[in-house]
Amino acid sequence: MHLTDAEQAVLDGESGEGAQKAMELVVALGKVYGAEGLVDITSAHLSGASYKTIGDGGLKYLSDLAAGGAKVSVPSTLNPIGMDRERWAEMHIGSDFAEKQNEIVRLYGAMGVKTTCSCTPYTGANVPKTGDHIAWAESSALSFANAMIGARTNREGGPGALAAAIVGKTANYGLHLDANRRPTVVIEADIGDSLFEHSLLGQAVGMRIGGGIPYFRGIRPGLEEGKTMAAAMAAAGAVAMWHVEGVTPEAAGCDLEGLETIHIGKAELEDAFERINTADDVQLIALGCPHLTEREMHEIASLLKGRKKRGDAEIWFCTSAAVRERCAEDVRVLEEFGPVLADTCMVVAPIEGSFSRTGTNSCKAGNYLPTLCSQKVMCRDIAELLKVVS
Ligand code: F3S
């Protein structure tokens, strides 16, 4: 693997211990994946932010890195953490967890990371441009960035993305290279316009193809449809790159000759629905996977306006702090039903201590809630879920 003199100097420890450790990891990953060299990145997005998922071992790792003087050298944002930083008590979270979670955020901040704590950084906090090389580690966000923006990132793990953020470079392999971004299968999608159908489409495709690169025809996703599809495909399979005809910047140049074509319509969506639904009633409804956008906040507020909260099930609305602030009027309507939480989500929060049956409109959450949170899942369209509590 070729390193420039400047890169070698960092590896030799000339920029300090933190940068040296980070470069060692970036180079080790590059060797494993056969990279010929490194490539400069314009931004990083880091996972491994919730105390629930990284535990005391992760906290110690971050503490050592920060003590070694590690600092990020490119704009870097952070994924959701295990709680709303102010409203954690409303999430039934204890002060021990809160203290450790706050320490994790403090350590990332000390390393220069923007502690925005959202899985939709591309809506404002961290917006890459087409063609940018980036190192992102949130499966839904990186998939969105590759497909909907045309930026270039592999499916980074938390430590790998943090190391790349520190050295400002990542190993040049996988989805950083043209040859590995080409479609492997054509998907003829025959679905309606709703967000939920786009989530089920992502689920059906992820289940069917696993880790390939689908080329979609028959859909025209915008921000919300794109984010829910990206999330579902990454969770049901391991899709990190996809094309949509007329949407993905690189789609126009794709050679589709000889590729298998798969039809995904009503029957496949029904199959995906059956597989993901395991509960008939819920104790918690959690919306916002990935984090709710302004349009979604507004649509939910329109559905709830004039209705009254009923039943015992709790409802949480998960979004970024920036969107919560921008949607003050909608927040007032939503808060009549349940808390509008920032910085967190139903999967990375320790909900298993308080609930065992959760409702979501996201197939990504539908995949992870049983395994990471021991939940049975009701996965439905938002309007259907809201009927349970209003
Ligand atoms: Fe975001 Fe949590 Fe879903 S991090 S994509 S809301 S599982």
Side-chain angles (χ1 to χ4, degrees):
M1 186 172 168
H2 173 74
L3 295 184
T4 64
D5 289 347
E7 289 162 357
Q8 187 61 49
V10 177
L11 192 58
D12 293 340
E14 289 178 24
S15 301
E17 199 191 331
Q20 183 182 29
K21 279 200 162 23
M23 187 59 102
E24 282 170 1
L25 182 51
V26 169
V27 169
L29 286 169
K31 285 184 177 163
V32 167
Y33 290 104
E36 287 181 3
L38 307 184
V39 62
D40 289 342
I41 56 168
T42 56
S43 80
H45 180 71
L46 313 178
S47 63
S50 166
Y51 176 63
K52 168 178 158 173
T53 56
I54 69 168
D56 290 325
L59 181 50
K60 164 113 181 33
Y61 176 77
L62 292 172
S63 213
D64 291 347
L65 260 184
K71 292 257 183 233
V72 298
S73 62
V74 293
S76 303
T77 42
L78 196 59
N79 226 26
I81 56 174
M83 61 186 208
D84 183 298
R85 273 175 272 189
E86 279 130 37
R87 304 179 67 174
W88 46 268
E90 290 174 65
M91 300 173 67
H92 317 284
I93 284 173
S95 54
D96 275 6
F97 184 100
E99 253 171 54
K100 289 186 169 165
Q101 183 61 75
N102 282 331
E103 178 60 4
I104 289 169
V105 174
R106 191 192 69 73
L107 289 167
Y108 275 116
M111 287 189 272
V113 177
K114 228 166 147 183
T115 54
T116 41
C117 305
S118 173
C119 50
T120 56
Y122 46 81
T123 61
N126 187 349
V127 188
K129 293 196 294 299
T130 303
D132 279 358
H133 291 271
I134 57 178
W136 281 25
E138 152 53 43
S139 62
S140 69
L142 68 91
S143 173
F144 184 97
N146 274 322
M148 298 291 287
I149 300 175
R152 296 176 170 226
T153 176
N154 285 316
R155 191 168 166 146
E156 299 277 357
L162 177 55
I166 291 167
V167 299
K169 292 166 187 283
T170 192
N172 197 13
Y173 70 95
L175 294 174
H176 291 284
L177 304 174
D178 287 345
N180 301 322
R181 297 174 64 83
R182 295 178 188 141
T184 57
V185 59
V186 176
I187 304 289
E188 295 280 3
D190 180 13
I191 66 164
D193 291 338
S194 76
L195 270 184
F196 188 52
E197 281 166 284
H198 283 80
S199 192
L200 287 172
L201 171 64
Q203 176 73 19
V205 171
M207 285 182 346
R208 176 75 189 262
I209 71 165
I213 300 184
Y215 180 100
F216 286 93
R217 285 187 171 135
I219 52 170
R220 189 110 193 153
L223 166 62
E224 287 76 11
E225 294 80 6
K227 84 176 166 80
T228 197
M229 277 177 66
M233 277 190 284
V239 176
M241 171 69 200
W242 39 291
H243 299 264
V244 180
E245 203 160 75
V247 175
T248 304
E250 295 146 89
C254 287
D255 179 7
L256 305 178
E257 213 182 304
L259 295 185
E260 180 194 3
T261 296
I262 298 173
H263 180 268
I264 303 281
K266 200 165 175 270
E268 290 75 17
L269 263 48
E270 275 170 12
D271 179 48
F273 180 88
E274 291 305 328
R275 290 206 199 192
I276 213 151
N277 273 283
T278 51
D280 296 326
D281 69 308
V282 291
Q283 298 160 315
L284 170 69
I285 291 173
L287 303 178
C289 171
H291 275 171
L292 295 168
T293 62
E294 287 176 63
R295 176 187 132 194
E296 289 173 298
M297 293 281 286
H298 191 60
E299 286 176 358
I300 295 169
S302 306
L303 285 167
L304 288 176
K305 225 173 205 158
R307 285 156 75 166
K308 288 245 174 306
K309 170 88 172 71
R310 69 175 179 87
D312 295 331
E314 291 188 26
I315 178 160
W316 296 355
F317 307 96
C318 302
T319 188
S320 64
V323 166
R324 182 168 69 180
E325 205 177 306
R326 283 202 294 271
C327 296
E329 211 167 292
D330 296 325
V331 167
R332 266 195 293 280
V333 177
L334 269 46
E335 288 278 347
E336 297 284 318
F337 293 81
V340 178
L341 303 168
D343 308 324
T344 189
C345 84
M346 66 301 280
V347 170
V348 297
I351 64 167
E352 54 279 10
S354 312
F355 308 101
S356 59
R357 299 184 302 284
T358 294
T360 173
N361 69 321
S362 160
C363 289
K364 173 175 176 176
N367 282 283
Y368 286 154
L369 284 166
T371 51
L372 299 179
C373 309
S374 310
Q375 301 294 298
K376 287 200 182 309
V377 171
M378 179 189 278
C379 192
R380 302 273 197 283
D381 187 67
I382 287 183
E384 284 297 311
L385 287 172
L386 292 179
K387 285 182 192 159
V388 177
V389 288
S390 64

